[in-house]
Amino acid sequence: VGIAVHDATGKITYLNQKAKQLLNSDTYTDSVEKITEIYQIYRAGTDELYPTEELPALQALQGKTWLIEDMELHQNGQIIPLEVYATPIFDEIGNILYSIKVFNDITERQQAQNILADYNHTLETQVQLRTTELIKINEQLKQEITERQQVEQALRESEERFQEIAQTIKQFFFIRSGATGQYLYVSPAYEQLWGLSC
């Protein structure tokens, strides 16, 4: 991680090697007002320099502990998203001596979050499509069940009518399977005459 120390006036007094690498500079600026311009510090996702008064190190000099993830460095055509944590350091009587700022390149974390967000979006889309398909299939099944029930009801009614007709008719008749030769139905009159039944 990059580490920077700011004195009580806000001037940078120390940068570790990683901080120098991230800031693309070996020098410390004396101009607190131009820190964002000199080091090309921007608000994330914009072309707006980060407001100097909102810098975590300067907020820490007001006694606040500060953590942000909305800062970017624009260096050599690259955009480096940062997580920045700053805290004040007090003397024994409570006066702020300086602030320490720790900052870290979170490019990989953001890429992983973007991949995860894309995956979640894809998964949600697939779930919605599958749910729509299942709803459609369910509706088709309901329709088929309804149609089957109607056909079964019609067959029952037809069989009941056939039974009524067959029971009341006095003629001899039977129904025989053409494939097996088995009697499927024998009228009561035929049954009484010949003693056959199904």
Side-chain angles (χ1 to χ4, degrees):
V1 295
I3 298 173
V5 177
H6 293 250
D7 69 14
T9 68
K11 293 179 187 174
I12 298 173
T13 58
Y14 173 78
L15 294 171
N16 75 347
Q17 195 58 40
K18 183 65 176 180
K20 291 176 184 178
Q21 177 190 344
L22 286 169
L23 295 172
N24 197 27
S25 178
D26 284 335
T27 60
Y28 307 159
T29 179
D30 286 338
S31 174
V32 175
E33 296 78 25
K34 295 195 175 202
I35 287 176
T36 57
E37 186 179 333
I38 291 167
Y39 296 118
Q40 294 296 289
I41 302 169
Y42 287 81
R43 193 178 295 278
T46 72
D47 289 328
E48 171 191 331
L49 285 170
Y50 209 91
T52 303
E53 65 278 1
E54 293 181 29
L55 290 172
L58 300 183
Q59 291 291 320
L61 290 173
Q62 296 176 25
K64 303 172 187 172
T65 298
W66 213 248
L67 175 65
I68 61 165
E69 290 186 4
D70 67 340
M71 185 180 285
E72 294 174 343
L73 294 175
H74 292 201
Q75 303 288 346
N76 300 323
Q78 278 190 306
I79 296 175
I80 303 167
L82 296 177
E83 175 186 65
V84 183
Y85 174 78
T87 188
I89 304 299
F90 300 93
D91 65 15
E92 57 278 345
I93 60 170
N95 295 318
I96 297 173
L97 295 174
Y98 52 91
S99 69
I100 294 180
K101 173 177 66 182
V102 177
F103 51 105
N104 190 29
D105 178 350
I106 56 172
T107 302
E108 289 181 9
R109 183 198 311 167
Q110 284 190 347
Q111 288 171 346
Q113 288 171 340
N114 290 340
I115 289 169
L116 185 60
D118 288 346
Y119 177 75
N120 284 338
H121 177 70
T122 300
L123 190 59
E124 286 173 6
T125 302
Q126 289 175 344
V127 167
Q128 287 174 347
L129 288 173
R130 188 65 181 138
T131 301
T132 302
E133 289 173 8
L134 290 173
I135 289 170
K136 190 182 289 185
I137 289 169
N138 193 31
E139 291 300 319
Q140 289 173 344
L141 286 173
K142 284 180 182 177
Q143 180 66 29
E144 288 176 14
I145 289 169
T146 301
E147 289 172 1
R148 186 172 293 147
Q149 288 171 339
Q150 290 170 347
V151 167
E152 288 172 356
Q153 180 64 28
L155 283 172
R156 274 194 297 276
E157 290 172 2
S158 175
E159 188 175 334
E160 287 170 5
R161 280 194 299 273
F162 173 79
Q163 289 287 345
E164 285 176 21
I165 293 169
Q167 294 296 327
T168 57
I169 196 168
K170 300 296 182 201
Q171 280 80 17
F172 302 132
F173 73 94
F174 60 89
I175 300 173
R176 191 170 171 184
S177 168
T180 64
Q182 179 182 4
Y183 287 95
L184 302 175
Y185 181 81
V186 176
S187 70
Y190 190 90
E191 189 176 296
Q192 286 174 356
L193 180 66
W194 298 103
L196 295 173
S197 64
C198 293

